[in-house]
Amino acid sequence: MKKTISLRAEYIKRGCEIVRPIGDIDVIKAMLSKAREKLKTARIDFDNERYDDSVSRSYYAVFHQKKIRKKQKRL
C-alpha cells in the first residue's frame, strides 16, 4: 500500500527539484496554498498593527507566487 503524503509535505520534500509535470501541478497547488496562508496572516498582522510582521509575510506571499510562475513556465 502506497503511503499518501500531503501536498505541503510533498512540496517540502521536493524543494526546488525539477519533477514530472503531474508532480509539478501538485507542488504548484501546495505553493499557492502557502502563499495564500502568508497573505492571510499578513492581513491579520496589519489589522493588529504589527506592521513589520505584515511586511515580512507579504514578502513571502509574493516570493511563493514568483516561484509558482517560474514552475508554470516550465510546464
Side-chain angles (χ1 to χ4, degrees):
M1 179 166 54
K2 186 177 179 182
K3 184 178 178 182
T4 46
I5 301 173
S6 72
L7 292 178
R8 174 173 261 162
E10 189 68 21
Y11 167 65
I12 292 167
K13 182 177 125 188
R14 292 181 187 190
C16 294
E17 291 178 20
I18 297 173
V19 295
R20 65 188 191 285
I22 298 299
D24 275 347
I25 291 169
D26 292 337
V27 171
I28 287 169
K29 288 178 184 178
M31 291 168 70
L32 185 56
S33 173
K34 192 171 193 174
R36 287 181 179 151
E37 180 182 316
K38 295 289 182 192
L39 190 56
K40 185 193 297 186
T41 55
R43 288 180 183 151
I44 292 168
D45 287 339
F46 184 82
D47 291 341
N48 290 314
E49 299 180 0
R50 294 188 304 250
Y51 302 115
D52 288 343
D53 291 335
S54 178
V55 169
S56 176
R57 293 181 196 279
S58 297
Y59 168 83
Y60 280 104
V62 172
F63 174 78
H64 290 297
Q65 285 287 341
K66 286 187 146 296
K67 285 179 74 173
I68 290 168
R69 294 285 182 228
K70 284 183 182 178
K71 259 199 187 303
Q72 285 176 330
K73 287 180 182 179
R74 287 189 282 185
L75 290 180

